[in-house]
């Protein structure tokens, strides 16, 4: 009894409710999240799940605003990229610089990751991983039955669509949701225009580039892919689209490597049951998407201590390894042990390093890493409307992209 009391005392000296907003509700995502809840519960805290379904986080971010406006922010929320800064500017985020210094985060994280977590030089968020978005997930059996090679260009994929369909399969597994449309589009834009074009368009938000000929070509190519998608696509969840590739109903899916979490959960092996290849034309580039949690200011000491435990847990080496094995991503920490990871993850880690040197490393605009939120949302709406409206011209789409930047500037 005494021993038990001591043990409990050791773990639960400042036990608190840890409420975290996230949108990890698919099978693979939930498996990854369980690594975090397990860890925090083992140190005596109570996990209060605040999950908001909807890949890409659009629904979650709407709900977060409602909660913050009503004066009850969660302890932490999955907030990414420039939005971390936007929340910090409103004075809502907690400075976790002391936890970060004690854990030596500056020396542990790649600069591109560390910088995204800071506001005015102080950490206000903690990263858990790096996802690569520009992947193509292939069912090799399906391609074989259709007599088609893995596509090395978007045109080759479009040209092979008839053979894939005649063999009885859907060429592209897709869910018709704006963020999935935008995810597909950013890979097409990167493949057609290259990393420099991508950066000018989606990081510098340069209007000449948004109106230029390369963007026209990217949009035209993107629109041609609409015919490669089945009639059941509207509103389909991304994980249901991944399931079409897993079960051999569709040939390919273009999605970040959270899709690998679904393959892994289904017991599938890369190289044998499925292939991971960079999306056509993007093998020298890497669209990164860092999952991170920003911390909201807490009124009570207990809660602040629990928040520090959460920050430490998120950055733990062993946690990041286990979490990312289930999530499909790679650890955010540099020099993480990769021996338990599969080939796709090893290639992602290698490409992340190589593209950071070559200039091919670019932030995912669809996953909230590149542009201010208002611009990102308006661009996403424009791209999705264009994809789904047969009557909207490419010129109109380009005009709307330019307007998206202007609208974002007004809101800032
Ligand atoms: C991304 C997020 C990933 C994954 C995906 C689908 O924005 O970074 O972790 O969850 O959405 O839900």
């Amino acid at each position: 009894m005494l021993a038990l009391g001591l043990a409990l005392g050791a773990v639960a000296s400042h036990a608190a409710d840890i409420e975290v907003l996230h949108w990890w509700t698919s099978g693979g995502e939930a498996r990854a999240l369980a690594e975090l809840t397990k860890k925090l519960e083992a140190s005596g805290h109570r996990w209060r799940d605040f999950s908001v379904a909807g890949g890409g986080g659009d629904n979650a971010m709407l709900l977060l605003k409602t909660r913050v406006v009503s004066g009850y922010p969660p302890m932490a929320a999955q907030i990414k990229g420039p939005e971390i800064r936007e929340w910090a500017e409103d004075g809502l985020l907690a400075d976790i610089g002391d936890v970060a210094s004690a854990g030596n985060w500056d020396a542990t994280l790649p600069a591109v990751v560390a910088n995204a977590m800071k506001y005015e030089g102080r950490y206000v968020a903690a990263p858990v991983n790096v996802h690569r978005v520009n992947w193509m997930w292939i069912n090799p059996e399906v391609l074989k039955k259709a007599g088609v090679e893995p596509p090395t260009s978007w045109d080759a994929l479009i040209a092979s669509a008839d053979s894939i369909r005649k063999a009885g399969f859907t060429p592209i597994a897709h869910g018709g949701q704006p963020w999935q449309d935008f995810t597909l589009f950013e890979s097409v834009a990167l493949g057609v225009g290259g990393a420099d074009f991508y950066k000018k368009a989606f990081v510098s938000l340069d209007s000449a580039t948004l109106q230029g000929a390369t963007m026209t070509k990217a949009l035209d190519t993107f629109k041609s892919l609409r015919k490669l998608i089945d009639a059941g696509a509207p509103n389909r969840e991304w994980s249901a689209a991944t399931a079409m590739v897993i079960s051999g109903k569709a040939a390919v899916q273009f999605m970040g490597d959270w899709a690998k979490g679904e393959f892994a959960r289904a017991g599938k092996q890369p190289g044998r049951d499925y292939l991971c290849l960079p999306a056509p034309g993007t093998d020298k580039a890497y669209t990164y998407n860092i999952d991170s949690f920003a911390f909201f200011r807490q009124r009570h000491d207990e809660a602040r201590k629990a928040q520090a435990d959460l920050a430490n847990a998120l950055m733990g080496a062993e946690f990041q390894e286990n979490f990312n094995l289930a999530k499909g991503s790679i650890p955010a920490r540099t020099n993480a042990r990769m021996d338990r990871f599969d080939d796709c993850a090893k290639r992602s880690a290698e490409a992340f390093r190589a593209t950071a040197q070559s200039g091919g490393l670019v932030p995912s605009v669809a996953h909230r890493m590149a542009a201010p939120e208002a611009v990102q949302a308006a661009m996403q709406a424009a791209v999705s409307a264009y994809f789904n409206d047969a009557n909207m011209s490419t010129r109109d789409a380009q005009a709307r992209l330019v307007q998206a930047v202007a609208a974002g500037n007004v809101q800032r």
Side-chain angles (χ1 to χ4, degrees), residues 198-375:
Y198 181 102
K199 282 189 258 188
K200 273 191 211 138
F202 303 120
V203 182
S204 310
L205 306 174
D206 173 56
S207 72
T209 307
L210 293 171
Q211 293 170 86
T214 309
M215 186 59 85
T216 309
K217 188 161 176 228
L219 282 163
D220 286 342
T221 307
F222 172 58
K223 189 98 161 205
S224 311
L225 299 175
R226 189 73 183 72
K227 299 186 289 289
L228 278 64
I229 288 165
D230 70 328
N235 258 318
R236 177 187 286 139
E237 289 294 334
W238 67 269
S239 51
T242 310
M244 291 170 69
V245 179
I246 294 176
S247 64
K249 291 194 176 71
V252 307
Q253 181 186 22
F254 295 93
M255 190 48 67
D257 42 23
W258 47 93
K260 191 155 59 77
E262 303 302 305
F263 284 100
R265 199 178 72 112
K268 303 293 179 192
Q269 302 279 339
R272 187 189 73 188
D273 307 313
Y274 68 97
L275 309 177
C276 56
L277 294 174
T282 71
D283 55 323
K284 297 276 182 298
Y286 188 118
T287 15
Y288 67 87
N289 172 22
I290 304 161
D291 281 316
S292 50
F293 290 87
F295 301 94
F296 284 90
R297 281 174 186 276
Q298 300 298 311
R299 289 195 199 95
H300 304 292
D301 232 30
E302 291 292 273
R304 273 193 292 271
K305 284 187 195 142
Q307 197 169 46
D309 284 356
L310 173 62
N312 273 321
L314 293 167
M315 274 291 288
E318 200 192 325
F319 162 72
Q320 288 206 355
E321 194 176 326
N322 292 332
F323 171 85
N324 287 301
L325 280 167
K327 189 70 168 69
S329 32
I330 56 172
R333 299 170 61 100
T334 34
N335 306 323
R337 276 183 34 200
M338 294 300 292
D339 45 304
R340 287 168 67 211
F341 285 84
D342 63 30
D343 217 48
C344 305
K346 285 183 180 135
R347 278 160 49 203
S348 171
E350 182 42 40
F352 183 70
R353 251 193 308 274
T355 54
Q357 303 287 320
S358 69
L361 185 63
V362 300
S364 164
V365 65
H367 291 275
R368 307 167 164 273
M369 298 301 301
E373 190 199 8
V375 177

Side-chain angles (χ1 to χ4, degrees), residues 16-298:
D17 282 354
I18 294 192
E19 191 191 26
V20 179
L21 171 78
H22 63 91
W23 60 90
W24 288 335
T25 54
S26 82
E29 289 172 330
R31 223 169 70 134
L33 182 70
E35 293 294 332
L36 182 62
T37 55
K38 212 166 65 187
K39 181 139 186 73
L40 291 165
E41 281 169 358
S43 34
H45 297 300
R46 289 171 298 270
W47 177 264
R48 282 185 49 210
D49 200 54
F50 183 7
S51 60
V52 182
D58 293 343
N59 301 343
M61 289 302 104
L62 271 179
L63 227 75
L64 177 62
K65 282 180 193 152
T66 316
R67 275 284 300 269
V68 173
V69 165
S70 57
Y72 294 101
M75 182 175 277
Q78 192 182 352
I79 299 179
K80 307 191 307 185
E83 287 168 42
I84 296 174
R85 186 187 180 76
E86 293 174 29
W87 284 100
E89 274 165 359
D90 290 339
L92 292 157
L93 298 189
D95 179 340
I96 54 156
D98 293 346
V99 178
S101 310
N104 210 8
W105 292 12
D106 272 344
T108 313
L109 293 170
V112 68
V113 179
N115 292 340
M117 303 300 127
K118 291 180 186 174
Y119 175 62
E120 293 182 337
R122 302 284 291 175
Y123 281 91
V124 292
V128 287
N129 65 6
V130 179
H131 272 300
R132 186 181 195 183
V133 182
N134 58 317
W135 281 118
M136 166 168 68
W137 306 95
I138 294 184
N139 184 313
E141 261 318 290
V142 168
L143 285 195
K144 203 163 134 206
K145 285 185 190 151
V148 164
E149 290 297 315
T152 52
S153 70
W154 295 101
D155 288 345
L157 175 62
I158 294 163
S160 67
D162 273 351
S163 312
I164 297 173
R165 241 189 253 101
K166 275 193 195 119
F169 308 105
T170 299
I172 298 181
H174 186 72
Q177 297 176 335
W179 74 271
Q180 293 189 59
D181 296 342
F182 204 21
T183 300
L184 175 59
F185 174 65
E186 74 172 26
S187 279
V188 175
L190 184 64
V192 167
D196 287 342
F197 159 77
Y198 181 102
K199 282 189 258 188
K200 273 191 211 138
F202 303 120
V203 182
S204 310
L205 306 174
D206 173 56
S207 72
T209 307
L210 293 171
Q211 293 170 86
T214 309
M215 186 59 85
T216 309
K217 188 161 176 228
L219 282 163
D220 286 342
T221 307
F222 172 58
K223 189 98 161 205
S224 311
L225 299 175
R226 189 73 183 72
K227 299 186 289 289
L228 278 64
I229 288 165
D230 70 328
N235 258 318
R236 177 187 286 139
E237 289 294 334
W238 67 269
S239 51
T242 310
M244 291 170 69
V245 179
I246 294 176
S247 64
K249 291 194 176 71
V252 307
Q253 181 186 22
F254 295 93
M255 190 48 67
D257 42 23
W258 47 93
K260 191 155 59 77
E262 303 302 305
F263 284 100
R265 199 178 72 112
K268 303 293 179 192
Q269 302 279 339
R272 187 189 73 188
D273 307 313
Y274 68 97
L275 309 177
C276 56
L277 294 174
T282 71
D283 55 323
K284 297 276 182 298
Y286 188 118
T287 15
Y288 67 87
N289 172 22
I290 304 161
D291 281 316
S292 50
F293 290 87
F295 301 94
F296 284 90
R297 281 174 186 276
Q298 300 298 311

